[in-house]
Amino acid sequence: MFRFRLGSIPVEVHPSHLLVSGMLAWSSVPAAQNGWPFRQVDGAPPLGHASAMVVYILSWMLIVFVSVLIHEMGHALASRLFGYRPSIALVWMGGHTLPTDAPGPLPWKRDLLITAAGPFFGLMLGVTSGVGYLLLEGRSPALDFFLLTFMIANFFWAFLNMLPVLPLDGGRITTTLATRVFGPRRGFVLAQGLALLVCVGAVVYGLRSGWLLLTLIFAMYGMQSFRVVAEALRNGQAQSVPLKGPLAEKLREARAALDAGRMDEARRLGASVLEANEGLTPRVASHAHHLMGWLALKEGQGRQALDHFSQVQGLPVEPHAVAASFSLVGDDARAVEWWKQAWQSSSDRTVMHEYAGTLIRMGRESEALKLPGLDPEAAFSCAERVLFIRGAYSEAAAVGEAALQHAPSATLAYDAACAHARARNVPDAMRLLRRATELGFTDGAYAASDEDLAPLHGYPAFEEWLTELRQSAAS
């Protein structure tokens, strides 16, 4: 691997890229036996066959390298226009460009423009090479070879990249548009169905033309698309048939109880389904585990939720449910990726703030605050609430106090005071309660009955604060 920079953009070239470009050059040698540099050029000493082959292969590798680099530079420069700091890596047949400082999934419009910029730059390089070939044809066999090959390679590369197959740029564009029009799940499946058809066509063409590399690549892409479509069809068929029987009725009652907040009833009904001796099919059990997982989440039991969700088969478990489970058990490193996926697929603001809260708990506060449309109070509140549920009261209080620097709020100050109280830190709890009063907190009756502040009962400072609240409310 070697590294260099184009301006402020770092570039890495992996050995796999050089290997594939060399293979492409080698595979095209038979078709070039009568062209430059294999035939003698007037006025120049002839090259031996071995030397000509080395020159030809190195020239082809240079063409592939420059073409792929210009393609990735299109992505990188478009990223710079939106204020990101991109990096480029050339790997295998192509490369990838990442905005290393993007705070989360890119907004879909930016994603489309950045993705399309790569093929556009490649197409422009092809057009420029074609114009140069028309103007300079015949001046030099080597120059003719380079200009013509650059044109063909970049036109072909731009066409190939715009095919609607992931991970190609066209697949990314198609998937983004399909999920916007048809919804995250259905749109993704439809895009993969289209990709499967294209892959079948590419494999058939590759077999007929004898292009082994093309056949292998699109066979691999096609298998990935086939698995997605097949799984979606299986799940869709299974979910289209309603559950029937006594256990199904119990599940419906348990779901209604859960939605109504009757946790004990929901737990009793769900457990009775899982303990049944008759009629407990894998599908019924999966629905029951899904329900019990959500029940555990609502009660703050992340470990139990993960245990139930892991036993769900043939039924999708919502990404935000898995994310919340990992958050509750304290595994923010896993949770943050699930929250990111959930936000990317739903664009839900509540999910975004949970994602931001996870970033804050991981010490990545600056990333969290860069998320588009973020409400700092909501983000810090999410971060603090999860720590509070875990029982990490001192950490929750620290997050709450940090939040006040970004969003001076009576609610945030009061919650931080509750966390200090749970941690038996009376001086700081009272300091935050007074700060909450300064920011507009006035509900003395609620504070007096709040179990989170129970450790403060009997302390003169707390009783004095409650008296002041009541007098202020009475006046």
Side-chain angles (χ1 to χ4, degrees):
M1 179 190 303
F2 68 92
R3 299 179 175 88
F4 61 95
R5 301 182 74 88
L6 291 175
S8 61
I9 301 174
V11 180
E12 289 185 355
V13 182
H14 292 247
S16 60
H17 176 73
L18 301 178
L19 175 64
V20 171
S21 64
M23 291 173 59
L24 288 172
W26 178 268
S27 66
S28 68
V29 166
Q33 290 295 328
N34 295 321
W36 180 89
F38 292 96
R39 60 183 174 84
Q40 182 177 354
V41 180
D42 294 339
L47 289 173
H49 184 78
S51 299
M53 186 175 294
V54 171
V55 171
Y56 177 80
I57 290 175
L58 291 177
S59 300
W60 242 107
M61 291 176 67
L62 176 64
I63 289 169
V64 172
F65 171 78
V66 173
S67 298
V68 175
L69 182 60
I70 293 299
H71 175 99
E72 296 303 325
M73 279 298 295
H75 296 311
L77 293 177
S79 297
R80 288 294 302 271
L81 289 178
F82 292 112
Y84 302 123
R85 293 196 301 271
S87 64
I88 295 174
L90 304 188
V91 185
W92 295 110
M93 189 173 176
H96 55 77
T97 300
L98 298 175
T100 54
D101 60 337
L106 300 180
W108 71 275
K109 293 181 181 178
R110 291 187 180 185
D111 194 18
L112 283 181
L113 291 173
I114 292 173
T115 302
F120 176 76
F121 268 57
L123 188 63
M124 290 301 99
L125 177 58
V127 170
T128 303
S129 301
V131 171
Y133 177 75
L134 293 176
L135 295 175
L136 303 174
E137 183 181 7
R139 301 275 182 96
S140 163
L143 182 61
D144 287 350
F145 167 79
F146 272 98
L147 291 175
L148 185 60
T149 307
F150 264 119
M151 180 186 71
I152 296 173
N154 281 278
F155 282 161
F156 175 77
W157 187 241
F159 168 77
L160 186 71
N161 258 280
M162 288 307 293
L163 291 178
V165 178
L166 286 174
L168 301 177
D169 292 330
R172 188 179 181 93
I173 292 171
T174 303
T175 301
T176 299
L177 293 175
T179 53
R180 293 293 302 179
V181 174
F182 299 105
R185 184 173 181 79
R186 185 183 178 196
F188 183 73
V189 172
L190 289 174
Q192 288 295 297
L194 176 61
L196 179 58
L197 294 176
V198 172
C199 287
V200 170
V203 168
V204 171
Y205 174 79
L207 290 173
R208 289 184 175 179
S209 63
W211 197 344
L212 180 60
L213 185 59
L214 181 74
T215 303
L216 292 176
I217 290 173
F218 279 92
M220 180 179 64
Y221 291 162
M223 287 300 298
Q224 179 181 353
S225 299
F226 176 77
R227 284 195 295 269
V228 172
V229 173
E231 181 181 355
L233 290 176
R234 285 197 303 269
N235 291 342
Q237 290 172 355
Q239 294 175 50
S240 64
V241 179
L243 294 175
K244 296 181 180 179
L247 295 184
E249 184 59 34
K250 279 189 177 182
L251 277 176
R252 282 189 281 272
E253 293 177 11
R255 174 61 62 183
L258 179 63
D259 292 341
R262 302 192 301 273
M263 303 301 182
D264 291 339
E265 181 182 352
R267 184 184 301 102
R268 177 180 58 80
L269 290 168
S272 68
V273 170
L274 291 174
E275 293 168 0
N277 294 322
E278 295 182 6
L280 185 61
T281 64
R283 186 176 173 219
V284 171
S286 290
H287 278 271
H289 280 298
H290 185 263
L291 179 141
M292 295 294 282
W294 271 105
L295 175 63
L297 269 187
K298 289 180 179 291
E299 295 183 329
Q301 302 296 324
R303 185 63 61 190
Q304 291 182 22
L306 286 172
D307 181 57
H308 284 295
F309 288 145
S310 68
Q311 300 180 68
V312 175
Q313 298 178 358
L315 184 69
V317 177
E318 300 85 344
H320 61 279
V322 180
S325 302
F326 280 123
S327 292
L328 289 172
V329 300
D331 193 346
D332 282 327
R334 291 188 184 180
V336 72
E337 294 303 322
W338 282 96
W339 282 123
K340 183 177 180 179
Q341 178 185 338
W343 176 41
Q344 189 173 21
S345 63
S346 69
S347 300
D348 185 273
R349 284 181 56 79
T350 300
V351 173
M352 179 188 71
H353 286 114
E354 291 289 358
Y355 171 44
T358 307
L359 290 173
I360 291 170
R361 290 194 300 275
M362 296 176 71
R364 295 159 60 181
E365 181 180 302
S366 60
E367 291 184 45
L369 295 175
K370 291 179 183 177
L371 293 178
L374 182 85
D375 178 358
E377 180 177 353
F380 277 97
S381 180
C382 289
E384 188 270 345
R385 187 191 68 255
V386 171
L387 290 170
F388 196 94
I389 294 173
R390 291 181 194 167
Y393 300 121
S394 295
E395 294 178 41
V399 168
E401 293 207 49
L404 293 174
Q405 300 176 18
H406 302 278
S409 158
T411 300
L412 289 175
Y414 181 85
D415 289 344
C418 291
H420 278 307
R422 286 282 189 175
R424 298 296 195 272
N425 186 345
V426 178
D428 284 330
M430 291 310 308
R431 175 173 57 82
L432 268 297
L433 285 176
R434 294 189 184 94
R435 178 63 173 149
T437 305
E438 294 172 1
L439 293 170
F441 182 82
T442 59
D443 197 344
Y446 177 81
S449 61
D450 190 345
E451 292 185 1
D452 292 330
L453 296 181
L456 302 181
H457 289 184
Y459 282 91
F462 178 70
E463 301 302 333
E464 180 182 346
W465 177 76
L466 282 178
T467 301
E468 291 174 356
L469 274 186
R470 292 175 181 136
Q471 291 177 346
S472 177
S475 62

